[in-house]
Short mmCIF file of all heavy atoms in Angstrom, two decimals:
data_model
loop_
_atom_site.label_atom_id
_atom_site.label_comp_id
_atom_site.label_asym_id
_atom_site.label_seq_id
_atom_site.Cartn_x
_atom_site.Cartn_y
_atom_site.Cartn_z
N SER A 177 13.99 -4.56 3.62
CA SER A 177 15.31 -4.64 4.12
C SER A 177 15.87 -3.23 4.42
O SER A 177 15.20 -2.26 4.04
CB SER A 177 16.23 -5.28 3.09
OG SER A 177 16.28 -4.57 1.82
N GLY A 178 16.98 -3.12 5.01
CA GLY A 178 17.55 -1.81 5.33
C GLY A 178 17.79 -1.62 6.86
O GLY A 178 17.22 -2.50 7.75
N ASP A 179 18.35 -0.57 7.27
CA ASP A 179 18.60 -0.32 8.71
C ASP A 179 17.38 -0.20 9.53
O ASP A 179 17.28 -0.67 10.63
CB ASP A 179 19.44 1.03 8.85
CG ASP A 179 20.80 0.89 8.28
OD1 ASP A 179 21.25 -0.24 8.19
OD2 ASP A 179 21.37 1.92 7.94
N ALA A 180 16.26 0.34 8.94
CA ALA A 180 15.03 0.50 9.62
C ALA A 180 14.38 -0.87 10.00
O ALA A 180 13.82 -1.04 11.07
CB ALA A 180 14.01 1.33 8.81
N VAL A 181 14.51 -1.78 9.02
CA VAL A 181 13.98 -3.13 9.20
C VAL A 181 14.85 -3.83 10.15
O VAL A 181 14.26 -4.56 11.09
CB VAL A 181 13.93 -3.88 7.86
CG1 VAL A 181 13.46 -5.27 8.06
CG2 VAL A 181 12.97 -3.11 6.87
N ASP A 182 16.06 -3.79 10.03
CA ASP A 182 17.01 -4.45 11.08
C ASP A 182 16.80 -3.97 12.41
O ASP A 182 16.81 -4.78 13.42
CB ASP A 182 18.49 -4.29 10.59
CG ASP A 182 18.87 -4.89 9.32
OD1 ASP A 182 18.06 -5.82 8.87
OD2 ASP A 182 19.87 -4.57 8.70
N ASP A 183 16.60 -2.76 12.53
CA ASP A 183 16.34 -2.05 13.92
C ASP A 183 15.16 -2.60 14.59
O ASP A 183 15.08 -2.78 15.80
CB ASP A 183 16.40 -0.55 13.74
CG ASP A 183 16.35 0.11 15.10
OD1 ASP A 183 17.31 -0.02 15.89
OD2 ASP A 183 15.39 0.89 15.41
N SER A 184 14.05 -2.78 13.80
CA SER A 184 12.81 -3.24 14.37
C SER A 184 12.57 -4.70 14.42
O SER A 184 12.02 -5.22 15.43
CB SER A 184 11.65 -2.61 13.50
OG SER A 184 11.64 -1.31 13.53
N TYR A 185 13.17 -5.48 13.45
CA TYR A 185 12.88 -6.93 13.38
C TYR A 185 14.10 -7.82 13.33
O TYR A 185 13.96 -8.98 13.22
CB TYR A 185 11.94 -7.23 12.20
CG TYR A 185 10.70 -6.40 12.25
CD1 TYR A 185 10.50 -5.35 11.35
CD2 TYR A 185 9.64 -6.70 13.10
CE1 TYR A 185 9.37 -4.49 11.47
CE2 TYR A 185 8.54 -5.93 13.12
CZ TYR A 185 8.35 -4.82 12.28
OH TYR A 185 7.21 -4.12 12.35
N GLY A 186 15.26 -7.23 13.51
CA GLY A 186 16.50 -8.08 13.59
C GLY A 186 17.12 -8.42 12.31
O GLY A 186 18.33 -8.54 12.17
N SER A 187 16.31 -8.46 11.20
CA SER A 187 16.80 -8.85 9.87
C SER A 187 15.73 -8.46 8.89
O SER A 187 14.61 -8.11 9.28
CB SER A 187 17.20 -10.24 9.83
OG SER A 187 16.12 -11.12 9.99
N SER A 188 16.09 -8.64 7.63
CA SER A 188 15.12 -8.42 6.52
C SER A 188 13.92 -9.45 6.65
O SER A 188 14.16 -10.55 7.25
CB SER A 188 15.80 -8.48 5.14
OG SER A 188 16.37 -9.75 5.01
N TYR A 189 12.82 -9.12 6.11
CA TYR A 189 11.74 -10.05 6.09
C TYR A 189 10.81 -9.92 4.80
O TYR A 189 11.03 -8.92 4.10
CB TYR A 189 10.84 -9.81 7.40
CG TYR A 189 10.00 -8.59 7.43
CD1 TYR A 189 8.64 -8.76 6.84
CD2 TYR A 189 10.46 -7.42 7.85
CE1 TYR A 189 7.86 -7.57 6.83
CE2 TYR A 189 9.70 -6.26 7.85
CZ TYR A 189 8.34 -6.32 7.33
OH TYR A 189 7.54 -5.26 7.32
N ILE A 190 10.00 -10.90 4.66
CA ILE A 190 9.18 -10.93 3.49
C ILE A 190 7.64 -10.85 3.94
O ILE A 190 7.30 -11.50 4.91
CB ILE A 190 9.32 -12.22 2.64
CG1 ILE A 190 10.77 -12.21 1.91
CG2 ILE A 190 8.17 -12.36 1.59
CD1 ILE A 190 11.08 -13.47 1.30
N ASP A 191 6.94 -9.98 3.28
CA ASP A 191 5.46 -9.96 3.47
C ASP A 191 4.80 -10.54 2.25
O ASP A 191 5.27 -10.35 1.08
CB ASP A 191 4.97 -8.65 3.84
CG ASP A 191 5.06 -7.59 2.79
OD1 ASP A 191 4.12 -7.56 1.91
OD2 ASP A 191 6.03 -6.92 2.70
N TYR A 192 3.71 -11.21 2.42
CA TYR A 192 2.98 -11.77 1.30
C TYR A 192 1.46 -11.87 1.52
O TYR A 192 1.07 -11.83 2.67
CB TYR A 192 3.61 -13.15 0.95
CG TYR A 192 3.56 -14.16 2.10
CD1 TYR A 192 2.43 -15.03 2.25
CD2 TYR A 192 4.60 -14.24 2.97
CE1 TYR A 192 2.48 -15.94 3.41
CE2 TYR A 192 4.60 -15.06 4.05
CZ TYR A 192 3.49 -15.95 4.22
OH TYR A 192 3.48 -16.78 5.26
N SER A 193 0.79 -12.01 0.45
CA SER A 193 -0.65 -12.12 0.60
C SER A 193 -1.31 -12.79 -0.64
O SER A 193 -0.73 -12.79 -1.69
CB SER A 193 -1.36 -10.68 0.74
OG SER A 193 -1.25 -9.99 -0.40
N ILE A 194 -2.49 -13.32 -0.37
CA ILE A 194 -3.36 -13.89 -1.41
C ILE A 194 -4.73 -13.43 -1.15
O ILE A 194 -5.22 -13.55 -0.03
CB ILE A 194 -3.20 -15.44 -1.45
CG1 ILE A 194 -4.14 -15.99 -2.64
CG2 ILE A 194 -3.46 -16.07 -0.13
CD1 ILE A 194 -3.91 -17.51 -2.88
#
Side-chain angles (χ1 to χ4, degrees):
S177 64
D179 293 338
V181 177
D182 294 342
D183 186 61
S184 296
Y185 303 105
S187 64
S188 61
Y189 73 92
I190 291 173
D191 68 88
Y192 55 92
S193 69
I194 179 171

